[in-house]
Amino acid sequence: MLNKFVNYIMLDGKKSIAIKLLDATFEEIKAKGQKNPTAIFDKALENVMPKIEVRPKRVWGSIYQVPQEVNAKRQLFLASKWIIDSARSKKGASFSKFLANELIEAANETGTAYKKKLDVYKMAEANKAFARFARRK
């Protein structure tokens, strides 16, 4: 999972820089008083991974937002993307500090990435009436 996360952080093929950023993030997590940064990382990803999402489906000329289950690879991708995007959107300090804050907040079930997961769940709940279209071809 760490290698996949490094690949998601990477920009323009610069993997060594992405690895250094993740190492600095883990050092920042240790500096904030957490003893095991990899456990925080795993807990954060687990808390942010969505189990269900809405996908557009065209039925008889109308487009419905149909709730569907998310496979494991896409769960990891979405969780990583939301955490990294929320860290990148903040300005003022280094990316590793914001990423460390976001991982700690996600592990505690707060923060921007966790809120995004809850928004996806609310959308799926609101559109569960269209779940009957999920299996239709």
Side-chain angles (χ1 to χ4, degrees):
M1 251 181 2
L2 278 172
N3 289 333
K4 220 34 168 162
F5 196 76
V6 165
N7 290 340
Y8 293 139
I9 291 174
M10 182 173 51
L11 294 174
D12 298 327
K14 300 187 180 204
K15 194 167 194 169
S16 60
I17 293 174
I19 291 170
K20 288 177 188 174
L21 284 172
L22 192 61
D23 289 342
T25 300
F26 283 171
E27 291 299 319
E28 189 69 31
I29 290 173
K30 282 183 186 176
K32 291 192 183 275
Q34 305 292 336
K35 290 188 175 28
N36 191 356
T38 54
I40 296 291
F41 174 78
D42 291 337
K43 181 80 170 150
L45 280 180
E46 181 182 316
N47 286 345
V48 177
M49 283 184 185
K51 306 287 186 256
I52 196 165
E53 69 176 344
V54 293
R55 314 226 37 205
K57 178 115 175 131
R58 187 179 171 120
V59 178
W60 290 95
S62 298
I63 298 175
Y64 297 102
Q65 295 293 325
V66 178
Q68 294 180 338
E69 290 185 12
V70 183
N71 66 16
K73 285 184 179 180
R74 183 152 170 84
Q75 285 180 4
L76 177 63
F77 168 73
L78 287 174
S80 302
K81 180 179 172 236
W82 293 340
I83 290 172
I84 292 168
D85 285 349
S86 65
R88 280 192 179 135
S89 67
K90 297 177 180 146
K91 303 288 182 214
S94 68
F95 172 75
S96 58
K97 287 185 180 184
F98 290 133
L99 186 58
N101 285 339
E102 195 61 42
L103 286 172
I104 290 171
E105 287 176 352
N108 295 330
E109 296 184 354
T110 59
T112 312
Y114 189 75
K115 184 180 177 305
K116 177 80 171 164
K117 175 190 171 183
L118 294 179
D119 291 344
V120 167
Y121 278 3
K122 285 179 191 172
M123 181 88 87
E125 182 68 25
N127 290 307
K128 71 179 179 182
F130 303 126
R132 66 181 184 270
F133 296 130
R135 290 170 291 282
R136 193 173 199 182
K137 296 273 175 168

